[in-house]
Amino acid sequence: GNSVTQMEGPVTLSEEAFLTINCTYTATGYPSLFWYVQYPGEGLQLLLKATKADDKGSNKGFEATYRKETTSFHLEKGSVQVSDSAVYFCALSPGANSKLTFGKGITLSVRP
Amino acid sequence: GAVVSQHPSWVICKSGTSVKIECRSLDFQATTMFWYRQFPKQSLMLMATSNEGSKATYEQGVEKDKFLINHASLTLSTLTVTSAHPEDSSFYICSAKENGPANTGELFFGEGSRLTVL
């Protein structure tokens, strides 16, 4: 079946530090891959996505590249801010009409 | 962008009462909506898939008589927690996929509804 594995958290960084959050997946075919962010007390928001191999999704300084060969979709940001503190979820969808499978999520805390 | 709205955003009720949560797609039509439950500091657990005009599909372990789902139109799905108990207290989140060729599998999420059962 489909699955998404995220690195264990939580992660605590100082402001302006480099961020990497690992995500690997298992799926048949060519799924679409997503990163969602959940700020405290809010619902999920789409951060970025990639729909085919080698695509790079980017938004708000975050980037993730769809790597078919390593089945990965790691999230990176060159310089984090306190406002980036949130829970980050990696997810996949096998097709347009398929259910979304989420990873467990990881909490990022950025201190001033 | 596509917007999904939930109401109420938070609700407190007494044990034994029923609570209805609405999920609306404001600027698009959604044949399919999803209901998730999120426990503190945990991931989202898919409860059921809501299908417009037909019965919802429940995930294993989710009581369909406890969590009633109705998807009466292409823009509205409702989740009713019947005879609520304190263990039903949770954050309930809905999401929807946009119909048509623009659908890439992306889900649009509501703001969530926090239920507290006393």
Side-chain angles (χ1 to χ4, degrees):
Chain A
N2 300 319
S3 66
V4 176
T5 302
Q6 291 185 233
M7 60 184 282
E8 293 290 326
V11 173
T12 301
L13 296 173
S14 297
E15 202 165 25
E16 299 184 1
F18 183 84
L19 169 71
T20 299
I21 301 177
N22 289 343
C23 172
T24 56
Y25 68 91
T26 302
T28 55
Y30 298 91
S32 293
L33 301 174
F34 306 87
W35 276 100
Y36 283 87
V37 58
Q38 185 179 30
Y39 298 103
E42 299 182 14
L44 274 71
Q45 302 173 26
L46 178 66
L47 180 60
L48 53 83
K49 66 180 180 183
T51 57
K52 61 183 187 295
D54 299 325
D55 267 3
K56 177 185 283 188
S58 61
N59 185 27
K60 299 181 180 179
F62 291 89
E63 293 183 341
T65 300
Y66 189 143
R67 301 288 188 196
K68 180 71 175 177
E69 63 277 12
T70 54
T71 61
S72 65
F73 194 53
H74 304 322
L75 182 68
E76 296 182 336
K77 186 174 185 180
S79 176
V80 294
Q81 305 300 313
V82 173
S83 57
D84 293 327
S85 298
V87 181
Y88 292 81
F89 294 93
C90 185
L92 72 80
S93 176
N97 294 314
S98 301
K99 293 184 288 189
L100 208 63
T101 299
F102 284 92
K104 291 187 176 181
I106 187 169
T107 299
L108 170 66
S109 297
V110 180
R111 54 176 182 248
Chain B
V3 178
V4 174
S5 178
Q6 280 183 241
H7 177 80
S9 55
W10 59 271
V11 57
I12 300 173
C13 70
K14 293 182 178 179
S15 186
T17 61
S18 295
V19 173
K20 179 185 286 187
I21 301 170
E22 293 185 347
C23 177
R24 293 181 184 274
S25 56
L26 298 186
D27 51 0
F28 67 98
Q29 294 184 332
T31 301
T32 303
M33 294 185 176
F34 301 89
W35 285 98
Y36 293 85
R37 183 174 180 178
Q38 186 181 29
F39 294 98
K41 299 184 179 181
Q42 295 189 30
S43 188
L44 284 74
M45 180 191 79
L46 179 64
M47 299 175 64
T49 302
S50 173
N51 305 297
E52 187 270 336
S54 63
K55 291 183 179 180
T57 304
Y58 290 81
E59 295 300 303
Q60 190 173 6
V62 178
E63 300 176 60
K64 58 184 68 176
D65 294 331
K66 174 75 171 175
F67 300 99
L68 300 179
I69 291 173
N70 183 276
H71 195 151
S73 77
L74 288 172
T75 59
L76 173 64
S77 175
T78 60
L79 168 68
T80 301
V81 183
T82 62
S83 186
H85 293 284
E87 57 266 30
D88 299 324
S89 298
S90 192
F91 195 52
Y92 293 89
I93 304 174
C94 76
S95 65
K97 286 186 178 181
E98 186 170 4
N99 287 357
N103 183 359
T104 61
E106 178 179 348
L107 282 182
F108 300 98
F109 285 82
E111 314 94 318
S113 299
R114 183 163 300 284
L115 169 64
T116 300
V117 184
L118 303 178

